[in-house]
């Protein structure tokens, strides 16, 4: 039987990716590919689960039954996304317990955007339109990624994120056409979530150590800056059409490039938040730890039942 060398296996692996084939869990893959996927998918799963907290805080304060039902469904969807993603990561040889421990011990990352507070009802709307909107751009790309379980999870997640984005956009549209107080509420929410949403796409390509390897292996097919630009080009005219604005006095349409261009993101703030020093980092982790402890008896009962049933 042939015993292909690492280089031969790598060449075959890369040829499969170039042909557009999906890599599946039992297939040969370079160690670095496996590690990159575990890193990204587990961070993504953590983001979905921590991302339930900012909006979850408003479920009891939704202004009417319809809004409450929509918000409940959305937050529940995020839990489901976490489930698919932890499962997808498990196919790569890491256990859910390891991933959850890393999150609760502060060793794992999750999207920086969820370390900001939701100070008003319209923040729920801004998260839907801006944050889910940013997530969809990134996840539509990931639905075409080279790893089968991740790409299939993304197809389903994107369908649900489409509903999340639309319910947020619909709220902002209505409030922008409502009373002066409602319009102001919508504007303040956009002002609060604008910069954190732009930061979701990650650092500039020149400061993104992972992008070259992720692009080489078809995990990412577009860079952080390309996706951020697409977001700006879609969102800025959409917000302005409602008589609202983005909190960036330098934002303008550049005729030469055909793109919207604004001022530089505050990257010091971005790195501070990622390193654990954002407005809500401690509170988010405390909430997850409490939920984990409160759910311990359920996990123990389920494990005992499974053992008793053989
Ligand atoms: N936040 O080399 P880079 C949702 C880290 S949730 C925190 O560019 P990469 C929703 C990065 O991890 C959807 N950390 O990284 C849920 C790396 O550190 P490590 C969330 C960030 O991987 C509830 C370092 O910075 N989406 O939709 O090439 C309610 C250097 O970065 C961030 C995903 O998770 C950040 N924003 O690109 C509502 C998508 N940016 O790991 C909505 C999956 C960068 O080397 N992830 N870092 O220590 C990705 O697509 C990519 O990982 C990223 C970063 C674009 C985020």
């Amino acid at each position: 039987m042939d015993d292909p060398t690492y280089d031969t296996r790598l060449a075959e692996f890369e040829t499969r990716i170039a042909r557009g084939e999906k890599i599946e869990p039992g297939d040969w893959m370079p160690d670095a590919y496996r590690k990159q996927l575990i890193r990204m998918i587990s961070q993504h799963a953590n983001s979905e689960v921590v991302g339930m907290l900012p909006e979850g805080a408003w479920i009891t304060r939704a202004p009417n039954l319809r809004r409450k039902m929509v918000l409940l469904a959305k937050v529940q969807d995020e839990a489901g996304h976490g489930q698919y993603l932890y499962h997808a990561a498990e196919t790569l040889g890491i256990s859910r317990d390891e991933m959850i421990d890393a999150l609760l011990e502060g060793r794992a990352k999750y999207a920086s955007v969820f370390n900001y507070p939701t100070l008003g009802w319209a923040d729920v709307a801004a998260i839907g339109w801006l944050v889910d909107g940013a997530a969809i751009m990134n996840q539509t790309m990931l639905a075409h990624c080279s790893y089968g379980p991740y790409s299939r999870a993304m197809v389903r997640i994107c369908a649900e994120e489409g509903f999340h984005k639309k319910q947020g956009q619909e709220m902002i549209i209505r409030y922008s056409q409502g009373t002066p107080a409602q319009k102001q509420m919508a504007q303040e929410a956009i002002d609060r979530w604008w910069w954190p949403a732009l930061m979701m796409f990650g650092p500039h390509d020149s400061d993104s150590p992972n992008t070259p390897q992720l692009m080489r292996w078809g995990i990412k097919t577009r860079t952080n800056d390309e996706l951020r630009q697409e977001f700006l080009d879609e969102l800025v005219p959409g917000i302005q059409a409602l008589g609202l604005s983005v909190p960036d006095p330098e934002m303008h349409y550049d005729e030469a490039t055909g793109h919207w261009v604004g001022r530089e993101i505050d990257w010091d703030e971005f790195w501070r938040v990622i390193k654990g020093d954002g407005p809500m980092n401690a509170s988010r982790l405390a909430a997850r730890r409490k939920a984990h402890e409160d759910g311990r008896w359920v996990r123990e009962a389920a494990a005992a039942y499974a053992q008793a049933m053989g």
Side-chain angles (χ1 to χ4, degrees), residues 204-223:
H204 278 315
D205 298 346
S206 51
D207 297 320
S208 168
N210 296 294
T211 294
Q213 195 169 52
L214 296 175
M215 301 275 284
R216 171 177 175 182
W217 286 332
I219 298 174
K220 271 181 175 178
T221 48
R222 303 180 64 203
T223 69

Side-chain angles (χ1 to χ4, degrees), residues 39 43 78 109 112 135 138 200 202 208-210 214 220 224:
R39 178 188 70 84
Q43 285 183 14
E78 313 296 0
K109 289 192 172 68
S112 50
N138 170 280
M200 272 185 90
S208 168
N210 296 294
L214 296 175
K220 271 181 175 178
N224 300 355

Side-chain angles (χ1 to χ4, degrees), residues 13 16-24 33 36-37 40-41 44 85 88 92 138-155 158 214-222:
F13 169 83
R16 288 188 62 197
I17 291 178
R19 277 203 299 262
E21 280 177 40
K22 297 290 178 208
I23 305 300
E24 297 297 338
Y33 179 83
Q36 279 287 14
L37 281 168
M40 246 177 92
I41 303 175
H44 194 161
L85 289 163
L92 292 154
N138 170 280
Q139 291 173 177
T140 304
M141 163 188 80
L142 294 173
H144 299 283
C145 82
S146 58
Y147 188 56
Y150 196 22
S151 87
R152 289 189 288 274
M154 283 297 115
V155 171
C158 281
L214 296 175
M215 301 275 284
R216 171 177 175 182
W217 286 332
I219 298 174
K220 271 181 175 178
T221 48
R222 303 180 64 203

Side-chain angles (χ1 to χ4, degrees), residues 29 246 271:
M29 59 185 80
V246 298
W271 293 114

